[in-house]
Coordinates of all heavy atoms in Angstrom, one line a residue:
A1 N -62.0 39.0 -47.7 CA -61.6 37.6 -48.0 C -60.0 37.6 -47.8 O -59.3 38.4 -48.4 CB -61.8 37.2 -49.5
F2 N -59.5 36.8 -46.9 CA -58.1 36.7 -46.5 C -57.9 35.1 -46.5 O -58.8 34.4 -45.9 CB -57.8 37.3 -45.2 CG -57.8 38.8 -45.1 CD1 -58.7 39.4 -44.2 CD2 -57.1 39.5 -46.1 CE1 -58.7 40.8 -44.0 CE2 -57.2 40.9 -45.9 CZ -58.1 41.5 -45.0
S3 N -56.8 34.7 -46.9 CA -56.4 33.3 -46.7 C -55.2 33.1 -45.8 O -54.2 33.8 -46.0 CB -56.1 32.7 -48.0 OG -55.5 31.3 -47.9
A4 N -55.4 32.2 -44.8 CA -54.2 32.0 -43.8 C -53.1 31.3 -44.6 O -51.9 31.5 -44.2 CB -54.7 31.0 -42.8
H5 N -53.3 30.8 -45.7 CA -52.3 30.0 -46.4 C -51.8 30.9 -47.7 O -50.6 30.8 -48.1 CB -52.7 28.7 -47.0 CG -53.1 27.8 -45.8 ND1 -54.5 27.5 -45.6 CD2 -52.4 27.2 -44.8 CE1 -54.5 26.7 -44.5 NE2 -53.2 26.5 -44.0
R6 N -52.7 31.6 -48.3 CA -52.4 32.3 -49.5 C -51.9 33.8 -49.3 O -51.3 34.5 -50.1 CB -53.4 32.2 -50.6 CG -53.5 30.8 -51.2 CD -54.8 30.7 -52.1 NE -56.0 31.0 -51.5 CZ -56.9 30.0 -51.3 NH1 -56.7 28.8 -51.5 NH2 -58.1 30.4 -50.7
T7 N -52.5 34.3 -48.2 CA -52.2 35.7 -47.9 C -51.8 35.9 -46.4 O -52.4 36.6 -45.7 CB -53.4 36.7 -48.2 OG1 -54.5 36.3 -47.5 CG2 -53.7 36.7 -49.8
P8 N -50.9 35.1 -45.8 CA -50.6 35.2 -44.5 C -50.2 36.5 -44.0 O -50.5 36.9 -42.8 CB -49.5 34.1 -44.3 CG -48.9 33.9 -45.7 CD -49.9 34.2 -46.7
A9 N -49.4 37.3 -44.8 CA -49.1 38.6 -44.3 C -50.3 39.6 -44.0 O -50.3 40.3 -43.1 CB -48.1 39.3 -45.2
E10 N -51.2 39.5 -45.0 CA -52.4 40.3 -44.9 C -53.3 39.9 -43.7 O -53.8 40.7 -43.0 CB -53.3 40.2 -46.2 CG -52.7 41.0 -47.3 CD -51.5 40.1 -48.1 OE1 -51.2 39.1 -47.6 OE2 -51.1 40.7 -49.2
V11 N -53.3 38.6 -43.4 CA -54.1 38.1 -42.2 C -53.4 38.6 -40.9 O -54.1 39.1 -40.1 CB -54.2 36.5 -42.3 CG1 -54.7 36.0 -41.0 CG2 -55.0 36.0 -43.4
E12 N -52.2 38.5 -40.9 CA -51.4 39.0 -39.7 C -51.6 40.5 -39.6 O -51.9 40.9 -38.4 CB -49.9 38.7 -39.8 CG -49.0 39.3 -38.8 CD -49.2 38.8 -37.4 OE1 -49.7 37.6 -37.4 OE2 -48.9 39.6 -36.5
D13 N -51.6 41.3 -40.6 CA -51.8 42.6 -40.5 C -53.2 43.0 -40.0 O -53.4 43.8 -39.1 CB -51.5 43.4 -41.9 CG -51.6 44.9 -41.8 OD1 -50.9 45.5 -41.1 OD2 -52.5 45.3 -42.5
F14 N -54.2 42.3 -40.7 CA -55.6 42.5 -40.3 C -55.8 42.2 -38.8 O -56.4 43.1 -38.1 CB -56.5 41.7 -41.1 CG -57.9 41.5 -40.5 CD1 -58.8 42.6 -40.6 CD2 -58.2 40.3 -39.8 CE1 -60.1 42.4 -40.0 CE2 -59.4 40.2 -39.2 CZ -60.3 41.2 -39.3
A15 N -55.3 41.0 -38.3 CA -55.5 40.7 -37.0 C -54.8 41.6 -36.0 O -55.4 41.9 -34.9 CB -55.1 39.2 -36.8
S16 N -53.7 41.9 -36.3 CA -52.9 42.7 -35.3 C -53.4 44.2 -35.2 O -53.2 44.8 -34.1 CB -51.4 42.8 -35.7 OG -51.2 43.4 -36.9
R17 N -54.1 44.6 -36.2 CA -54.7 46.0 -36.1 C -56.2 46.0 -35.8 O -56.8 47.1 -35.7 CB -54.5 46.7 -37.5 CG -52.9 47.0 -37.7 CD -52.7 47.8 -39.0 NE -53.5 47.4 -40.1 CZ -54.5 48.1 -40.7 NH1 -54.8 49.2 -40.1 NH2 -55.2 47.7 -41.8
A18 N -56.8 44.8 -35.6 CA -58.2 44.8 -35.4 C -58.7 45.6 -34.2 O -59.7 46.4 -34.4 CB -58.6 43.2 -35.2
K19 N -58.1 45.5 -33.1 CA -58.6 46.2 -31.9 C -58.4 47.7 -32.1 O -59.3 48.5 -31.8 CB -57.9 45.7 -30.7 CG -58.4 46.3 -29.4 CD -57.8 45.6 -28.2 CE -58.5 46.2 -26.9 NZ -58.0 45.4 -25.7
E20 N -57.2 48.1 -32.6 CA -57.0 49.6 -32.7 C -58.0 50.2 -33.8 O -58.3 51.3 -33.8 CB -55.6 49.9 -33.1 CG -55.2 49.5 -34.5 CD -53.7 49.8 -34.8 OE1 -52.9 49.3 -34.0 OE2 -53.3 50.3 -35.8
R21 N -58.5 49.4 -34.8 CA -59.5 49.8 -35.8 C -60.9 49.9 -35.2 O -61.8 50.4 -35.8 CB -59.4 48.9 -37.0 CG -58.1 49.0 -37.7 CD -58.2 48.1 -39.0 NE -59.4 48.4 -39.7 CZ -60.3 47.3 -40.1 NH1 -59.9 46.1 -39.7 NH2 -61.4 47.6 -40.7
G22 N -61.1 49.4 -34.0 CA -62.4 49.5 -33.3 C -63.3 48.3 -33.5 O -64.4 48.3 -33.1
L23 N -62.7 47.3 -34.0 CA -63.5 46.0 -34.2 C -63.7 45.4 -32.8 O -62.7 45.3 -31.9 CB -62.7 44.9 -35.1 CG -62.6 45.4 -36.5 CD1 -61.7 44.4 -37.4 CD2 -64.0 45.5 -37.2
R24 N -64.8 44.9 -32.5 CA -65.2 44.3 -31.3 C -65.4 42.7 -31.3 O -65.3 42.0 -30.4 CB -66.4 45.0 -30.6 CG -65.9 46.5 -30.3 CD -66.9 47.4 -29.8 NE -67.6 46.8 -28.5 CZ -68.8 47.1 -28.2 NH1 -69.5 47.9 -28.9 NH2 -69.4 46.5 -27.1
V25 N -65.7 42.3 -32.5 CA -65.9 40.8 -32.8 C -65.5 40.5 -34.2 O -65.8 41.3 -35.1 CB -67.4 40.4 -32.5 CG1 -67.5 38.9 -32.7 CG2 -67.9 40.8 -31.2
I26 N -64.8 39.4 -34.4 CA -64.5 39.0 -35.7 C -65.2 37.6 -36.0 O -65.1 36.6 -35.1 CB -62.9 38.7 -35.9 CG1 -62.2 40.1 -35.7 CG2 -62.5 38.2 -37.3 CD1 -60.8 40.1 -35.5
I27 N -65.9 37.5 -37.2 CA -66.5 36.2 -37.6 C -65.7 35.8 -38.7 O -65.6 36.4 -39.7 CB -68.0 36.4 -38.0 CG1 -68.7 36.9 -36.8 CG2 -68.5 35.1 -38.5 CD1 -70.1 37.5 -37.2
A28 N -65.0 34.5 -38.5 CA -64.1 34.1 -39.6 C -64.6 32.7 -40.1 O -64.7 31.8 -39.3 CB -62.7 33.9 -39.1
G29 N -64.9 32.6 -41.3 CA -65.4 31.4 -41.9 C -64.2 30.7 -42.7 O -63.5 31.4 -43.4
A30 N -64.1 29.3 -42.7 CA -63.1 28.6 -43.4 C -63.4 27.2 -43.6 O -64.1 26.6 -42.8 CB -61.8 28.8 -42.6
G31 N -63.0 26.6 -44.7 CA -63.3 25.2 -44.9 C -62.0 24.4 -44.9 O -60.9 25.0 -44.7
M32 N -62.2 23.2 -45.1 CA -61.0 22.2 -45.2 C -60.1 22.3 -44.0 O -60.5 22.2 -42.8 CB -60.3 22.3 -46.5 CG -61.2 21.9 -47.6 SD -60.4 21.7 -49.2 CE -59.8 23.4 -49.7
A33 N -58.8 22.7 -44.2 CA -57.9 22.9 -43.1 C -58.3 23.9 -42.0 O -58.0 23.9 -40.8 CB -56.5 23.2 -43.5
A34 N -59.1 24.9 -42.5 CA -59.8 25.9 -41.6 C -58.9 26.6 -40.6 O -59.1 26.8 -39.5 CB -61.0 25.3 -40.9
A35 N -57.6 26.9 -41.1 CA -56.7 27.6 -40.2 C -57.0 29.1 -39.9 O -56.6 29.6 -38.9 CB -55.3 27.6 -40.9
L36 N -57.8 29.7 -40.8 CA -58.1 31.1 -40.7 C -58.5 31.7 -39.4 O -57.9 32.6 -38.8 CB -59.0 31.6 -41.8 CG -59.3 33.1 -41.9 CD1 -58.0 33.9 -42.3 CD2 -60.3 33.3 -43.1
P37 N -59.6 31.1 -38.8 CA -60.0 31.7 -37.4 C -58.9 31.6 -36.4 O -58.7 32.5 -35.6 CB -61.2 30.8 -37.0 CG -61.7 30.3 -38.4 CD -60.5 30.1 -39.2
G38 N -58.2 30.5 -36.3 CA -57.1 30.4 -35.3 C -56.0 31.2 -35.6 O -55.4 31.8 -34.6

């Protein structure tokens, strides 16, 4: 669970390291403003 609005630094860290960690696809769910996937 990460929040684009409440934990922006953690989202940035996760996303910027995703490829080097070996992730090949990210599924991101969000409601209302739904900024997280973007």
Side-chain angles (χ1 to χ4, degrees):
F2 294 123
S3 169
H5 301 108
R6 294 179 294 254
T7 60
E10 287 82 353
V11 172
E12 171 68 25
D13 181 61
F14 163 79
S16 65
R17 294 185 319 104
K19 188 172 185 176
E20 73 184 47
R21 290 184 47 236
L23 293 174
R24 294 179 51 205
V25 183
I26 298 167
I27 299 170
M32 297 191 294
L36 184 61

